[in-house]
Amino acid sequence: MKYLAALSLLALGASAQTTLPSIQVQGSKFFFPNGTQFFIRGVAYQQGVGTGGASGATSDTNTQYADPLADGAGCARDIPFMKKLKTNVVRVYAVDPTQNHDDCMASLSAAGIYVIADLSEPNLSINRESPAWDTQLYSRYTSVIDSLQTYSNVIGFFAGNEVTNNASYTAASAFVKAAVRDSKAYIKSKSYRDTLYVGYAADDDQYIRQDVADYFNCGDQADAVDFWGYNIYSWCGDSSYQTSGYADRVAEFSNYSIPIFFSEYGCNTQGGGAAGREFTEVAALYGADMSKVFSGGIVYEWFQETNDYGLVSVSGNTVSTLADFNALSTQLAKVTPSSVSAAQYTPTNSALQSCPTLFQNWTVSSPNLPPTPNQDLCDCMYSSLSCRANSDISAEAVGDLFFVVCGYNDGRPCTGFTANTSTGVYGPYLGCNDTQKLSLAFDTYYKEQGSSSDACSFDGNATVVQASKASGSCTSLLSAASSSASSISSGSGTSSGSGSSSSQSSTHSPNAAARFGPQGISGSGVMMGMYVLGMAVLGGAMVVL
C-alpha cells in the first residue's frame, strides 16, 4: 500500500508536467537561474550490465543493459526513498535512446531531481586499449543527446568514464576529448539549450590524475569539458580530511575554471562492506573547506548488487533501505554547504589550465585531436575504391590483415587513418569503420602495384569492384581528405603542448568489471599492432557494411 500511495502521488506530480529550471554553469560553480548556488547530492542509479532488459526497462533484446530512465514504474518506486536522502541528482551510465523517458523524467522533475547521463553504453564506448572515435560512436553519442535534450532537468553528459585510468592508456584521452568537442559542437549546431553541458568522469590515479584534469581543461574552450567529475574512494572508514587526501585535492583544483564534483564516492573496504559505510566524508565534502571548490558529489550506488555498494535492495515493487542508507541520510541531514549567490560571485580562476607536456606518463600532445567522424566522407571514400575488403571477414582476421597491408610500401596504404597522439597527427579517415579503412588500405596497395589483379586478393579477403566516380559533395570531401593524407606522408602537421604532472596517493573505482561505462567494458575493438610511418594505427570494432 505504501508503494501504491507513493506511485499515485508521483503520478499526480508528473501529470502536472513540473518543469525544473535548468542548472547553469558560471565559472567553477553551478547555479539555479535565480542565482542560488547548486550543490549536487546525488546517487548512481543503474543496475548491472548484462540484464538484457530483465527489469522491464527495455524490450530490445540486443540492448545489454536496463535503462532506468525508461522504467517509469521503477522510478516511481525509488524516488520517494531518494527524497528521504534529499537527493537532487541521479547519474545514469547507459541510456537507450530508442526508448521513451517521459514518465521517469517527469517523476524526477516533480521530485526536484536532475540527471547527468553517460553517453556511452556497455558495448559501445571509447575502449582504452584500442581507442577510437568513429562514426558508430558519434551516432551513439548524438542519439543520446537527442533523446534527453528536451528535459530541463538534464544537467549534461559524461563523454567518458575512467577511460584513461593509468599511465598505459593516456593516448585514449585524445579520443575522449574529440568526443567532448564533437558532442558540444553537435549541441550547438542543433540549437539545443546552452545549459546542456558535456564533461568527463576521471578516476583517482596518483600518477596521471593531474595531467588528465589539466588536459581536458586546456587549449580551445570549444574542445574542453564544461564540468569535471572525479571518482574517488580514498576516504575509507574512520579517515580524515588530511589522511584521505581530500585536502590535497582541494589544493590541486582550487584554480580549476569549471565546476568539479565527486562523480562517484563511498568506499566500502573499511570492513562490513556497504553496511559498514558511515559516510563521515560527507561532513568534509559539504564543509567550509571543500564546498568552496567542490560542488558536492554522487554516492555509488543506489542498488545493492554483488559488489556490495548498495543503499537499498529491491525485490519487485518492494524497496528496503540498508544500513548505509540510514548512515548517509544522517550525515546529509547535518550539512549546509557554504554558498555564494551568482550576483556576488566573480570567478577568479577563469583561465584554462596549461596542457601537459609529453613525458613517460603522458603521451598526448595538444592541441590536435582526432577528426570529427564524417559518415558522408567515409561513404564517398568507400564508393571510390576499386579494391574492397570482403564484408564477411571475421573480427579476429581484421587485425592480422591490417598488420599485413600496413607493413607494405613503408606503411603508405594506411596513412589515411593513422593516429599518433604524441605528435598530434591523425589521418582524415580515422573515424571510418574498419571495413572502410581496411578497404582503403587494400585499394591503396592495389593501385601502387599498378592495379594488378593479384594485388587485390589478400588470401581471398578482397575483391575488385567497379568504383564510383566522385561527384557533387564527394569531390570536395575527398579532395580535402587527400590533401590531409598527403601532408601526413610529408611529415607535417605535428604539435606539442606544455603542462605539469602530479604523483601522490591514488584510489580506483570498485568492481570495474561489473560497472557501466568504459572501465567495465572490454570492447570489441582491434588494436592493429603495428606502426605506420612511426605512428600507431588504432582501429575500432569491425563493422559490416
Side-chain angles (χ1 to χ4, degrees):
M1 291 296 292
K2 289 182 179 179
Y3 165 72
L4 292 175
L7 179 60
S8 298
L9 287 172
L10 279 171
L12 287 172
S15 65
Q17 291 297 309
T18 302
T19 300
L20 286 178
S22 296
I23 300 301
Q24 303 172 354
V25 168
Q26 182 177 331
S28 62
K29 303 183 187 301
F30 292 116
F31 290 97
F32 289 103
N34 67 3
T36 302
Q37 189 174 352
F38 178 80
F39 288 90
I40 293 174
R41 298 189 306 273
V43 293
Y45 185 58
Q46 190 142 14
Q47 290 180 289
V49 175
T51 57
S55 69
T58 175
S59 59
D60 183 357
T61 57
N62 294 318
T63 303
Q64 299 301 307
Y65 57 89
D67 177 357
L69 300 184
D71 185 2
C75 289
R77 175 199 64 210
D78 296 331
I79 288 173
F81 295 90
M82 292 182 184
K83 292 176 69 175
K84 292 181 180 180
L85 292 177
K86 298 183 179 180
T87 299
N88 63 8
V89 168
V90 293
R91 176 184 177 183
V92 294
Y93 294 85
V95 172
D96 184 351
T98 68
Q99 299 297 306
N100 186 291
H101 303 102
D102 289 350
D103 289 347
C104 182
M105 293 302 295
S107 295
L108 290 168
S109 185
I113 298 175
Y114 291 84
V115 173
I116 300 176
D118 289 53
L119 292 172
S120 62
E121 56 105 330
N123 295 315
L124 196 56
S125 69
I126 298 174
N127 185 339
R128 67 172 65 87
E129 295 182 351
S130 54
W133 176 235
D134 57 25
T135 52
Q136 189 179 21
L137 283 165
Y138 181 86
S139 177
R140 160 69 195 181
Y141 278 41
T142 55
S143 65
V144 173
I145 292 171
D146 289 338
S147 70
L148 295 181
Q149 59 83 23
T150 59
Y151 305 111
S152 65
N153 57 330
V154 174
I155 294 175
F157 309 97
F158 284 123
N161 180 70
E162 300 189 12
V163 181
T164 296
N165 65 348
N166 64 51
S168 300
Y169 303 120
T170 59
S173 286
F175 294 84
V176 180
K177 193 168 183 179
V180 170
R181 173 202 64 201
D182 292 341
S183 297
K184 291 175 62 171
Y186 181 78
I187 290 170
K188 185 175 182 179
S189 71
K190 299 289 285 187
S191 297
Y192 293 154
R193 58 183 167 88
D194 58 7
T195 53
L196 205 56
Y197 304 106
V198 180
Y200 177 74
D203 83 321
D204 182 32
D205 184 271
Q206 62 174 322
Y207 300 108
I208 60 169
R209 62 184 165 214
Q210 193 64 54
D211 291 305
V212 173
D214 288 347
Y215 178 70
F216 280 94
N217 186 234
C218 78
D220 191 333
Q221 182 63 64
D223 303 340
V225 291
D226 299 316
F227 57 75
W228 187 252
Y230 194 28
N231 298 345
I232 181 169
Y233 293 83
S234 61
W235 189 302
C236 298
D238 188 22
S239 191
S240 69
Y241 182 60
Q242 296 294 335
T243 303
S244 65
Y246 279 21
D248 295 329
R249 306 294 83 78
V250 168
E252 290 166 359
F253 287 102
S254 60
N255 290 318
Y256 217 55
S257 65
I258 56 176
I260 179 172
F261 57 92
F262 285 2
S263 43
E264 289 178 9
Y265 76 97
C267 173
N268 75 343
T269 62
Q270 71 290 318
R277 299 198 292 183
E278 297 182 358
F279 287 108
T280 52
E281 66 264 45
V282 166
L285 178 58
Y286 295 95
D289 292 326
M290 292 193 72
S291 59
K292 294 176 184 177
V293 176
F294 286 83
S295 295
I298 297 171
V299 172
Y300 186 81
E301 62 176 321
W302 183 252
F303 298 99
Q304 175 69 336
E305 301 184 271
T306 56
N307 60 5
D308 196 18
Y309 277 83
L311 296 169
V312 305
S313 64
V314 176
S315 177
N317 291 332
T318 301
V319 178
S320 301
T321 61
L322 303 178
D324 56 342
F325 179 100
N326 299 322
L328 179 61
S329 178
T330 298
Q331 295 294 342
L332 286 171
K334 297 178 182 178
V335 298
T336 303
S338 299
S339 62
V340 62
S341 69
Q344 297 174 330
Y345 172 60
T346 301
T348 57
N349 50 339
S350 58
L352 298 183
Q353 308 301 303
S354 296
C355 294
T357 55
L358 292 171
F359 74 114
Q360 181 179 359
N361 286 345
W362 190 258
T363 60
V364 184
S365 67
S366 295
N368 290 3
L369 295 171
T372 301
N374 186 327
Q375 188 66 60
D376 290 340
L377 171 63
C378 295
D379 291 343
C380 290
M381 176 269 287
Y382 186 76
S383 295
S384 72
L385 305 179
S386 300
C387 178
R388 299 180 190 171
N390 296 339
S391 61
D392 59 352
I393 303 174
S394 69
E396 291 75 16
V398 172
D400 291 339
L401 289 168
F402 272 119
F403 185 87
V404 170
V405 68
C406 293
Y408 291 151
N409 298 347
D410 296 323
R412 287 192 302 275
C414 298
T415 57
F417 49 88
T418 57
N420 189 328
T421 63
S422 63
T423 61
V425 174
Y426 304 96
Y429 301 109
L430 187 61
C432 300
N433 67 51
D434 274 5
T435 297
Q436 294 166 330
K437 288 187 287 190
L438 188 59
S439 295
L440 175 63
F442 284 172
D443 187 74
T444 302
Y445 174 78
Y446 170 66
K447 289 173 180 172
E448 285 187 342
Q449 299 306 114
S451 299
S452 173
S453 59
D454 60 357
C456 184
S457 174
F458 297 94
D459 292 330
N461 289 297
T463 304
V464 176
V465 299
Q466 182 65 46
S468 298
K469 183 176 173 131
S471 61
S473 61
C474 279
T475 302
S476 57
L477 285 172
L478 293 175
S479 176
S482 176
S483 176
S484 175
S486 295
S487 70
I488 292 173
S489 295
S490 66
S492 62
T494 60
S495 63
S496 60
S498 61
S500 60
S501 62
S502 174
S503 57
Q504 301 175 32
S505 62
S506 62
T507 62
H508 295 274
S509 297
N511 197 19
R515 295 172 58 242
F516 278 88
Q519 190 186 28
I521 299 167
S522 62
S524 57
V526 179
M527 177 65 79
M528 297 173 190
M530 46 70 67
Y531 286 84
V532 179
L533 302 179
M535 294 174 278
V537 181
L538 304 174
M542 181 65 174
V543 179
V544 178
L545 292 175

